[in-house]
Amino acid sequence: MRSHYCGDVNQSHVGQEVTLVGWVNRSRDLGGVVFLDLRDREGLVQVVYDPDLPEVFDVASSLRSEFCVQVKGVVRARPDSQVNAHMRTGEIEVLGKALTIINASEPLPLSMDNFQNNSEEQRLKYRYLDLRRPEMTQRLIFRSKVTSAVRRYLDSNGFLDIETPILTKATPEGARDYLVPSRTYKGHFFALPQSPQLFKQLLMMSGFDRYYQIVKCFRDEDLRADRQPEFTQIDIETSFMTSEQVMAKTEEMVRGLFQELLDVDLGEFPKMTWDEAMRRFGSDKPDLRNPLELVDVADLVKDVEFAVFKGPANDAEGRVAAIKVPNGATLSRKQIDEYTKYVGIYGAKGLAWMKVNDIDAGLDGIQSPVLKFLNEEIVSSILARVEAKTGEIILFGADKANVVAEAMGALRLKLGQDFELLQGEWKPLWVVDFPMFEKADGRWYAVHHPFTAPSTVTAEELAANPGTAVSDAYDMVLNGVELGGGSVRIHKQDMQATVFKILGISDEEAQEKFGFLLEALRYGTPPHAGLAFGLDRMVMLMTGATSIRDVMAFPKTTTAACPLTDAPSLANPQQLVELGIDVTKAEKAAEKSE
């Protein structure tokens, strides 16, 4: 039905007859001549109909937006005065000779020109229309190019694309599982995989030393802009490779993607330990485009009479940190109060501040509500520590170290945006040497997952000091977004048993949930390591989208619903009988809770 895509017609086709199909993006009748902007997935082209062919002209005059049509005509060059430099096909137009309406369109339920006027609910309900917008079309085309380039790179480097099961067994990996009832085993359930973690490790044990898969993963968790109940990973696993080798190989892949698809040279990725990232930026995925840093000042204020500073400064689990903001002395008290409310979202009880109105005037050049608690020596030491200059403001966070990191880390990002401080377009890095475990509610939790190997300790040493253990793990970060993370995996039975014990997983529970993996570890398991990239996040960054929903064809809402298909929906009663499931209605559940 077509000879060319609309967006591919160019000056090389001048004088040729072409057949195009697509949708009417816009129709204009200008002085007896009808101009159509015809659109398909590759772009727009202008088609001109004049009254010389009355029947065709009448059809052209009747068209409205989103009519699906076939156009036949001759390509001609536009006069120099009419060239549209903002349009890929702006140097030519098609003089229409025939026109067929393939399918008319009713008035649209959403705006195609001003999509900002559409609610997200509308966009998702009529996603097939929303995806016609060039911006959305190009994002999905770009996503396809990313996956194609990833496959080419991994295929050429000896990786094998191997599928793993979607119906599997529930395992504790940090989020709730989506469960699938079994008809043949009533009362039993499959789980949709949160990741192929166990299966890719089993593939390493099977001798497939380089595996990859572009795979769907499922997590039943509260959603936000960069989370979806189903998402896509670029999953990679290797045997007989060290963490440094895995990092080098995957970094080469990502640098190649940016070079090929964006003509961007990311350069060598710097490495930063988790401790340094948390100390300087309050985040394990710092945005290095932002020059602001957290500076520790607890040692300078541990003897002051200001309890807000003194308490955390003398607490082994506390922290007092400062952020210096260039030109921040211009902030009003109202603006400072707004930042105080902002850090409160992250658990901070307040935000002390110090304006440097004149660095050379001593205490007379400083303005701060806490100044009365600080002598000149302490103020001078703080100013020197943060390298303050006239016109700046110093903001302080004082609390438990984790609260300070989260609140001040978030404040750092907001200040960077508000003061337009970001430098450079792309800033990648590796964050390494994560702690193995973190403690909460009196028990240990795995920072990554329970199959992550510790770095340079024996099982006995790990059991004796779990709080000081460092994992052989690594995260790739770009512009403050974690592109992917991975680790060396545990390949020895005694080490895996030790980790389970530290995590409070009993032998019985370990056998029930991971028995097949523990059994496999008995038969010559090779050392192995891997990494999984979030494809959706990567494409979101590369296309400049602000949400992963805008780079997915059919995403869910923030409440994990699909307005297009009206999913989730009630099950057929007969199906429930076959599955042996009785659904408790909300009203009954409420009565029981009372």
Side-chain angles (χ1 to χ4, degrees):
M1 293 184 72
R2 65 154 64 95
S3 62
H4 300 77
Y5 281 107
C6 296
D8 291 341
V9 182
N10 55 49
Q11 282 190 315
S12 69
H13 302 110
V14 170
Q16 296 181 24
E17 183 173 288
V18 295
T19 303
L20 309 174
V21 290
W23 289 267
V24 176
N25 192 68
R26 190 167 57 146
S27 176
R28 308 180 303 284
D29 188 337
L30 302 178
V33 177
V34 173
F35 291 87
L36 300 180
D37 287 340
L38 190 66
R39 184 190 69 243
D40 62 18
R41 75 174 207 191
E42 295 300 328
L44 297 167
V45 67
Q46 179 171 282
V47 184
V48 182
Y49 286 95
D50 59 40
D52 293 348
L53 300 171
E55 292 184 3
V56 176
F57 184 80
D58 288 343
V59 175
S61 300
S62 71
L63 297 181
R64 296 194 307 269
S65 293
E66 300 310 309
F67 271 43
C68 183
V69 300
Q70 182 189 56
V71 165
K72 293 183 179 181
V74 177
V75 180
R76 67 184 184 186
R78 293 197 198 187
D80 291 344
S81 61
Q82 296 178 19
V83 168
N84 186 345
H86 303 291
M87 195 173 176
R88 181 177 165 190
T89 59
E91 294 182 328
I92 57 90
E93 61 187 13
V94 176
L95 179 60
K97 298 297 184 182
L99 177 61
T100 302
I101 298 177
I102 297 173
N103 214 335
S105 173
E106 295 183 4
L108 300 179
L110 73 173
S111 172
M112 299 294 282
D113 295 326
N114 299 305
F115 82 96
Q116 295 91 344
N117 296 333
N118 304 319
S119 69
E120 185 164 59
E121 187 82 7
Q122 286 177 298
R123 291 180 59 203
L124 296 183
K125 181 174 179 62
Y126 300 100
R127 189 63 162 181
Y128 45 87
L129 295 177
D130 188 54
L131 290 177
R132 290 184 192 173
R133 293 192 296 112
E135 182 180 37
M136 294 300 297
T137 301
Q138 291 309 309
R139 284 173 180 165
L140 290 191
I141 291 174
F142 188 89
R143 181 184 176 118
S144 177
K145 291 178 179 178
V146 169
T147 57
S148 177
V150 166
R151 291 185 188 281
R152 288 199 308 274
Y153 176 85
L154 294 173
D155 289 344
S156 66
N157 280 271
F159 287 82
L160 302 174
D161 182 359
I162 305 176
E163 295 180 353
T164 53
I166 292 297
L167 295 177
T168 182
K169 187 171 184 174
T171 57
E173 295 187 49
R176 288 181 295 272
D177 289 307
Y178 278 100
L179 299 179
V180 180
S182 170
R183 179 183 58 81
T184 52
Y185 296 92
K186 288 183 172 61
H188 292 69
F189 295 82
F190 294 104
L192 302 182
Q194 295 186 33
S195 78
Q197 182 62 48
L198 299 182
F199 287 106
K200 65 185 180 185
Q201 288 191 247
L202 290 172
L203 286 170
M204 296 304 103
M205 300 169 192
S206 304
F208 298 98
D209 60 309
R210 292 193 176 194
Y211 141 96
Y212 83 94
Q213 188 180 184
I214 298 178
V215 60
K216 282 290 185 185
C217 302
F218 307 86
R219 294 180 186 176
D220 185 7
E221 58 186 347
D222 295 332
L223 306 183
R224 57 191 187 203
D226 61 347
R227 283 185 181 172
Q228 280 280 291
E230 51 181 317
F231 57 96
T232 307
Q233 281 187 354
I234 303 170
D235 207 45
I236 298 170
E237 196 77 8
T238 69
S239 297
F240 308 110
M241 288 180 69
T242 65
S243 55
E244 290 292 334
Q245 290 171 321
V246 171
M247 291 164 68
K249 187 61 66 177
T250 52
E251 178 181 322
E252 181 180 66
M253 182 185 79
V254 171
R255 286 207 312 267
L257 281 177
F258 274 74
Q259 190 72 65
E260 176 183 343
L261 300 179
L262 296 180
D263 195 23
V264 168
D265 182 3
L266 291 177
E268 297 291 328
F269 292 14
K271 292 186 179 67
M272 182 181 297
T273 66
W274 179 88
D275 279 333
E276 181 182 354
M278 296 302 293
R279 175 175 53 82
R280 293 174 58 191
F281 307 109
S283 171
D284 59 4
K285 47 181 186 293
D287 187 347
L288 297 187
R289 296 173 302 166
N290 186 338
L292 301 181
E293 294 193 20
L294 279 63
V295 179
D296 287 308
V297 295
D299 59 310
L300 304 180
V301 297
K302 63 181 180 179
D303 296 323
V304 302
E305 294 304 316
F306 186 41
V308 172
F309 282 177
K310 186 175 183 179
N314 289 279
D315 183 349
E317 297 181 355
R319 185 180 184 188
V320 183
I323 294 179
K324 176 192 66 174
V325 186
N327 301 316
T330 59
L331 287 174
S332 67
R333 184 58 187 266
K334 181 181 178 181
Q335 289 172 309
I336 295 173
D337 288 344
E338 289 173 353
Y339 284 122
T340 302
K341 289 179 183 177
Y342 181 76
V343 296
I345 297 172
Y346 300 91
K349 300 179 183 68
L351 187 66
W353 54 273
M354 183 182 293
K355 287 186 178 182
V356 185
N357 295 322
D358 186 352
I359 192 70
D360 298 320
L363 289 181
D364 291 338
I366 305 300
Q367 178 187 354
S368 172
V370 302
L371 198 59
K372 58 187 175 184
F373 300 107
L374 310 175
N375 60 40
E376 186 169 4
E377 180 182 354
I378 291 174
V379 172
S380 296
S381 297
I382 292 173
L383 296 177
R385 178 74 58 86
V386 302
E387 301 180 355
K389 300 179 179 65
T390 296
E392 297 179 334
I393 191 172
I394 304 168
L395 302 172
F396 299 89
D399 210 309
K400 294 294 184 184
N402 63 322
V403 174
V404 170
E406 189 169 0
M408 298 299 280
L411 178 63
R412 169 183 173 268
L413 295 178
K414 183 167 178 56
L415 290 166
Q417 294 286 348
D418 291 351
F419 282 79
E420 299 181 349
L421 299 174
L422 302 190
Q423 301 170 358
E425 187 175 4
W426 303 105
K427 289 293 179 74
L429 81 154
W430 287 104
V431 178
V432 299
D433 295 345
F434 286 79
M436 271 288 287
F437 308 104
E438 57 187 359
K439 204 164 195 177
D441 306 321
R443 56 164 291 188
W444 293 108
Y445 293 87
V447 169
H448 276 77
H449 54 65
F451 316 108
T452 300
S455 181
T456 66
V457 295
T458 64
E460 294 75 17
E461 291 169 336
L462 181 65
N465 296 291
T468 61
V470 173
S471 65
D472 200 352
Y474 34 84
D475 281 1
M476 183 186 290
V477 177
L478 180 64
N479 292 1
V481 175
E482 179 191 328
L483 282 188
S487 69
V488 172
R489 322 303 187 187
I490 296 170
H491 70 284
K492 292 189 175 181
Q493 200 172 23
D494 63 334
M495 181 63 79
Q496 189 65 75
T498 299
V499 169
F500 283 161
K501 186 174 182 180
I502 292 170
L503 295 174
I505 300 174
S506 66
D507 292 342
E508 294 76 16
E509 184 183 359
Q511 192 61 39
E512 178 189 350
K513 294 180 176 176
F514 311 109
F516 58 94
L517 177 70
L518 298 177
E519 175 76 8
L521 288 173
R522 298 170 54 192
Y523 303 111
T525 299
H528 53 287
L531 187 148
F533 289 101
L535 174 64
D536 311 298
R537 289 185 183 180
M538 182 182 291
V539 177
M540 178 185 74
L541 274 182
M542 296 179 78
T543 59
T546 57
S547 166
I548 63 171
R549 291 192 291 276
D550 281 340
V551 297
M552 303 171 81
F554 300 103
K556 305 293 189 293
T557 66
T558 53
T559 57
C562 177
L564 174 65
T565 61
D566 203 23
S569 59
L570 297 175
N572 183 298
Q574 182 58 38
Q575 286 181 301
L576 294 179
V577 171
E578 292 175 351
L579 293 168
I581 293 177
D582 181 23
V583 176
T584 302
K585 292 185 178 180
E587 303 91 275
K588 292 182 179 180
E591 290 174 4
K592 290 182 179 180
S593 66
E594 293 174 359

